[in-house]
Structure formats: C-alpha cells, structure tokens
Amino acid sequence: MGKFLKRYLAITGVLTLITVSMPLMASMFIVSIILIIPGLALMFAPTAFLWGVVYSLFYWLAFRFVGTLGAAMSALVLTPAVLWLIPQHSITATEAELEKYALPAVKAQGLIQPAGDIRIDEQFGGWEIKCGSRCLSLLFEPKVRSVTINRTETRTWEQLRAGSTLQTARAKTFRLRKAGQCGDDWREPDDTLLGYYGRNHKDNLAISTDFKRRLTTDACLAEEEPMERHDMLLRQARWHSEGPPNSSAWTFSPQNVRVTLEEIRAGTGEILFRTVNISSLGLFAPLNIGPDGGLANPHFGWERTQMTTKDSSAESDVQGAVDDALAVRRSVDKARVLEETRLTISAALDNPAFPETAIIFEAVEGYLSQLNRLTVSERDLQLVQRLIRDPRFSDLPGAYHLPNLFGSDDLNALRPDIARKLASPAPAIQPGPTNLGTALENWPEASFATLLPDEAALLQDARLRPRANGLIVRLSDGGAPAAGLLTTILDEHLALYSGFDRSKLRQRENQREYEAHRATMEAAVKGLCRMGPAASGQLHRLLKIEDRLPFKAFDRMDWDRMMARVGKPLEAIRKPESLGGSDEKYRDNLRRAVRRPSSEIRC
C-alpha cells in the first residue's frame, strides 16, 4: 500500500505541477478533443494530489497502530470528513457577508400601471441616449406623459439600498406631441424600433408598425431638457462589494458580494416591486482544486460555487422582471393595424413631400410581414406596384415576402416594374445585392424560362447586374441557351474581383463594390449548379476559370458540386485540404449530388 501511495503522489504531483505552473498549456489539453483523456487527467490532477496527500497523511499516522487494513479504512473515512470541514468556516463567513447586503424582494399587488412622468435608470447601453422600443412603448401608454432615460452607475451600497442614484448630465426626457408641433425638438426614434412589450415577435412587429403609422399621422417624438422629478422610477442596478483581488484564487476569505436588482418605485420612493439576486462565490465542500478564468485567463485555485441569500431570485429571472410587472399593451388588433397602415402608406405615396426616409416607409416591411395568402388582396398588389414604381425608393424592404403572398400571375405582373427599378438606381446608390433582386430567386418554378427585354438588358450590364442576384440564379430556368451568359457573368466578375485595387477597401463604398462582385460570382455558380448537365457545353470555359478562381474567397465545396453536376469527371476532383476524410469519400458526396435533381440539393 505504501509503494502504491508513493507512486500515486509522484504521478499526480508532477501533473499538478504542470497544471498549476503552466495553466495555459494545461487548458489547451483540457479543451482538446483529440487529447481528451490527457486533458481530463490534467484537470483533475490537483484535486487528486490534494486528496492523496491528506489520505496518505492519515494512513501513515494510523499504520503504526492498526496495521495496513485499519489504516486504509481510517484514512478512507477521515479524508473526506476533514476536507469537508476545512472550508466550513469560510462558507459560514460568506453566508454572513451575503446577509449583510440582503435586500428583501417586494411582490407587486397586481400589475402596475405606468402613469405620469416615468424615469428609467439604466446601467447598460451605448453612450448616446435615444428613445428606443421600450421608451416609445411607454410613451404610447395612455396615462404616460414623458419618459426620462438616465444612464448611471451605482457606486455605493447606500445608493443601491436607498434608490438614490444621481441623474447624470447625459439624461434625456422624451415626450409625444401632436403631429407637427415638435419643431426643433423633433427626434427620430431609434433605428432598431420594434414593439417591446408584445407577447411574441409577431405582436411586437404589429405594435411597431402601428407606432410608425401613428408617428406619421397623430404624433411626433420630442426631446426636452431632462426632468428632475418623476412619478415612477423603473430601475436597473448592479453593484459589488470590495473583496479579495481576482488573483487570490487560493484565499479562504469570502469573495465580494454581487447584487443585481430591478425595481419599480413611486415618485415618493415607495417600493412597488423589487426582485434581486445577491450572490458570492463560496468555497466548495469538500475542498477541491479546479480551473477558472477560461482560455482568456486560465488559472487554478480552490473550487468555488455560487452562493445566494434565501430570498434571492436567479439572475436570469431578475433581468426584465420590471417589464413583466407592468400593465402595458402587449397586443394590438392586427386587422385594424394592417388596414390603417395600408391607408397611411398609400396616402404617403400620394404626397411627394414624404422622403424615402419617412418613418411610415420604414413600416413597409412590417406591413408585408403581416400579410398572408388569406388576407392579401388586389389592393395590396397595387400598393406593392406603387412602392416599386415610386422613384423615391431604390429598393423594397421586405421584398422576400412577395413570393409567399402572391400567385404566379401576380408575381409575373410585377416583373417589368422590378426590372426597371433594378436597372435605374439613384446616382448615390452603389450597385450590390438588393431585397428585390434577391427575392426573384424564389419566384415560381420556370418563371424566367424566357426573359423580358428589360431583364435581359439588366443582365448585360456588369455594373447593374449585382443588384439582381436572384435573377442570375434563375437563368437556370432557361436551360442550355442561358449557360453561356451565366459563364460570361462568372468570368467577367472574377476579372473585376481579382483586379480590384484592395488598397481602396478602407472606404466603405469600395468594400461594398468588392463584395458585390463576389456575391455575383456565387449567384452564377448557383445557377450553373441548378442547370447541371444542361450547362455541359460550358465545361471547357469553366475549367479555364477554375485555374484563376481565388478559393480563399470562395466556397470550394459549392464550386466542386457545380462542376461535378456540369460534367467534370469525379476522378479529377480532390477534396479541399481544409476538410477531413478521404478524396474518395468526398467524391461519393459529389456523386450523390450529381444523381439528384437540382430541386433536392443545396445549389
């Protein structure tokens, strides 16, 4: 037994030395899939060594009195008992530290109606304060007059407990006024505006669409000097006490206490609702040694576990709890919103004073998303046609909904207008993928077997065709006669992509043009893949193009799949070096792609 313990301590001691003194190398072993067994051995070696030392100490002390078997049994009982007792003092001290900062949870007496002047104290968000989804949702509540957003930091325990965080100079107050009465105080809502309190994404989308309509017809958003007083405070706060530095991984002292809370207070300071998480990292019992810090700062120390007060909520339950406690509108009459939005967009199209950036036109995507085959009507088709034809717009947000809304005849009726729109972007618009051009890929089967004159002209223009990537893919509907054009498009944009002056990529418009060439090549490859054997007449040209193709910027598997379907011998195709497995297995996958129709493979 003695020899075994010596070998055990020698092996685990060496592994512990490696693990603790070189944690980065150890962590690489631990996360390695190939070396998973050595990784686990290194991760558990410090704890195994610790337990082995304590076990050996008790064994050799008892061996003199009770022999081998008695010593082994005594050590087996005493080792876990002692290692469980050692951290108890630290655990008790951590519990006392937690109780020192305990805050009682306060349950709301039913849902709380926001009213009057609301102040929101936030600790998170960007430097610039805007009236986003939450702010606007509160402003549209019937009893709310204003919303003040205050980004602040809770620096002391007294501030946290009393709810007395200071209003910063960056605070802003927002208010809805009647349409046309905002003047210089007018502000545009945050770009990411979406209904905040809806029961699900569809409700939020409908609420957001309704907000945009009402901000066009009924109200405007104004920014004012921050108000000092408030009738209700919605508060989010985080704070932590002072504690041992993070490097003290081996200390038995209590770690710092972290408090996360959300609460609603009346203007008088009365707490109407509060949920809180109070936690600290306490020593694990029995005593163990474990990794911490992740790959960014790997190190080992006493293993710890999350400890909380009895009344604490889980931290994930704290986040957003205030919003769940409010009596706010969480749904709308979608049919009403749809009809009113339809009428408002139509009226805005009649008024040339509305620019493309008008907030009602931002509601177009939400309007289209609420339509379906049961609710769509001739009026919607006419409205979509007007949006496409209107010279103020270079694209149609939400165009990807069109194939799901209209039948073949209606979609084909839109094609002339779409082609003209894609061929005539505003001078300031850089050619690149568009919503309308991309949506064409999902038009009904065989829709583009015969191109319209405007579509054919669009595809002949190397500068404009990147706006119509979906149409490029759907050249596959034309069969063999269209294979030459697809190959030409691929060849021309490869030349433009390869010859691009990369020193100009720091400018955003040049980067967009550079990426547009790559996206156009990918669309041509997809079209040729769908066409399959019908494009075999272009194989000799494609082989020449293959020699020039920069595969670092291109998906090699997509290219090989296309070439196999067009007719390149599988024996001439080798797997990319970045992939595992054998060439034969790679070819088997390509062989299956060749045998299946294009509608069943990922082209």
Side-chain angles (χ1 to χ4, degrees), residues 372-422:
N372 57 56
R373 285 292 180 98
L374 297 178
T375 60
V376 73
S377 67
E378 182 67 24
R379 287 191 302 158
D380 297 305
L381 177 63
Q382 293 171 358
L383 188 56
V384 168
Q385 284 179 317
R386 292 184 63 194
L387 286 163
I388 296 173
R389 291 172 181 173
D390 196 297
R392 284 172 285 188
F393 310 116
S394 58
D395 201 358
L396 178 67
Y400 59 91
H401 290 292
L402 299 182
N404 299 322
L405 298 177
F406 302 110
S408 299
D409 292 342
D410 290 338
L411 290 171
N412 284 327
L414 295 174
R415 283 173 57 188
D417 294 319
I418 293 175
R420 285 190 286 270
K421 175 64 68 179
L422 295 175

Side-chain angles (χ1 to χ4, degrees), residues 500-512:
F500 201 89
D501 185 353
R502 299 192 180 188
S503 65
K504 297 180 179 179
L505 289 179
R506 293 181 180 179
Q507 298 176 341
R508 191 169 183 176
E509 59 271 19
N510 291 333
Q511 188 174 16
R512 178 178 170 84

Side-chain angles (χ1 to χ4, degrees), residues 10 97 149 154 288 296 317 352 401 413 431 442 480:
E97 194 73 8
I149 300 177
T154 305
N288 281 326
D317 292 336
H401 290 292
N442 296 315

Side-chain angles (χ1 to χ4, degrees), residues 62-99:
F63 177 74
R64 299 177 182 179
F65 305 101
V66 294
T68 300
L69 182 60
M73 297 304 295
S74 299
L76 193 63
V77 172
L78 290 172
T79 297
V82 168
L83 289 171
W84 184 85
L85 285 171
I86 288 174
Q88 293 306 312
H89 177 73
S90 177
I91 292 172
T92 301
T94 300
E95 290 173 344
E97 194 73 8
L98 285 169
E99 289 302 322

